[in-house]
Amino acid sequence: MAELSCEVLVVGAGPTGLMLANWLTRLGVQVIVADGKDGPTIESRALIVQARSLEIYDQLGIGDQVLEAAHRAEALAPGFGARGFGRIPLGPLGGAVTPYPYIEVLEQSRNEEILYENLQKLGGQVLWESPVTAVVQTEDGVEAKVGNHTVWARFCVGCDGANSMVRKARRIDFEGVTNPHRFFVLDATGAGGLQPDAINVRPYRDDFLLAFPMRGDGNWRLIGLVRDVDGDGALDEEDARARMLRTYGVTYDRSRWFATYRVHHRIAAAFRDGPFLLAGDAAHVHSPVGGQGMNTGLQDAHNLAFKLADVLRGTRKDGWLDRYEAERRPVARKLVATTDRVFGFLTSGRWPLRVLRRVAVPLLAPVGVRALPGSSGGSRLFQYVSQIRIHYRLDPAGTPGRRRDPVVGRRLPWADGNHAALRAACWQIHAYGGVTAADAPDLGVPVHVFPAAPATVLRPGLFYLVRPDGFVAARAEPAEADTLFRHAMAR
């Protein structure tokens, strides 16, 4: 049995664990990634990559590679049963706020392959076929049993899914509920009866169907309720096929993958317990509505990597890691609650909600098709779903009930080429007209002066302090910037 040591042990080599390992390795942290599988996932599993995740991929330097591998969903196509109500183009909803104004369909397996290949290029590796079977806290950090190895680490991050061994070992409650219905997920070839290159959303009286276009002609991911249609006592693919044909007029030739599952809405009671941290499905699980799951995990990893690197470099004290839970758990809590409500609306068998679905959806969906593309409400909806509108409470003057700052605590608004500067992954100062670099405080960080950006909330005459993860930590007029920015960088 070999003894190994590292600064961070990452348990689980799914998208979250691999994203975390990529960023930690790039930031110079010694990482060991361990997983019981023999390689990246083979099944497609999660498959939506939202705009904010694409921005993180771009910051990592592999955004173009992800886009090349993905299939673009250009619109939403609402319907009711077999009826369609047209298309809502995504480009007009997000074109002013991100360079990625669509929803990209890229299955989890390909995300993992791309992240694993990039980790290898950065000099990192994964201990495959090495399940983590025990973790204990020590005076200096963590001791773990990893396959046939003993690993000593300063920190351990559980990215090991909904049945997380790390979470269970630390006896952290996984609070929430399980939906009573059973659902199917099916990757179909030769599918028909769907709006092409669009995410089809088809609720019905006591049913629903979600359809996501995948790469390849006629290839679709189909998700819906499964019931025993043929009365054979089993919930299988033929039940799903019969129900889709009868209710939605959707057909397909064959399936490449079929599985049934129950949907959980749960969140860990804590994201940190001393040297142990949780991310991705180990910290939160919810319904597939909105395609949020994998993306939230990728963004957990992105947020956590910079904080771990700061502590391990000695530029921050250990308490800085508490900010990870303070920032990311509210995001997960809101997401779990929102998807629970939406899923409840789609699947509830209570007659008031069944009547509401039957009346409201056919009435409101056609209105949305006409109104959303040119409205501020449509853009705001895109920002929520794409996770661009996430807010962290960073403003020192911020108090409950007070209007949130439109910039501080949010990801840096996109203004043409300004996000390219974020690839440096360091603290930096931005300005957007009205000042020069000479007016900026000397904090030993890069200063970028861009033209005025009137189409955004970035105002001329101000400096903006941007964190390495792309979130704005503070804004100030030139006379106050030195004091305010030093305070923001230290807190």
Side-chain angles (χ1 to χ4, degrees), residues 331-352:
V331 172
R333 188 172 63 242
K334 184 174 183 179
L335 180 60
V336 168
T338 301
T339 57
D340 186 25
R341 286 194 296 268
V342 173
F343 215 56
F345 173 76
L346 290 175
T347 63
S348 175
R350 296 170 54 200
W351 72 264

Side-chain angles (χ1 to χ4, degrees), residues 405 407-408 412 428-443 445-450 457-466 472-485 488:
D405 189 283
V407 181
V408 176
L412 177 71
Q428 49 194 268
I429 296 172
H430 284 211
Y432 296 86
V435 293
T436 67
D439 301 320
D442 184 9
L443 302 180
V445 303
V447 178
H448 301 280
V449 179
F450 299 92
V457 291
L458 296 166
R459 291 167 44 197
L462 297 176
F463 286 112
Y464 295 90
L465 179 66
V466 185
V472 179
R475 64 181 173 90
E477 296 180 355
E480 302 172 330
D482 189 283
T483 301
L484 288 177
F485 286 5

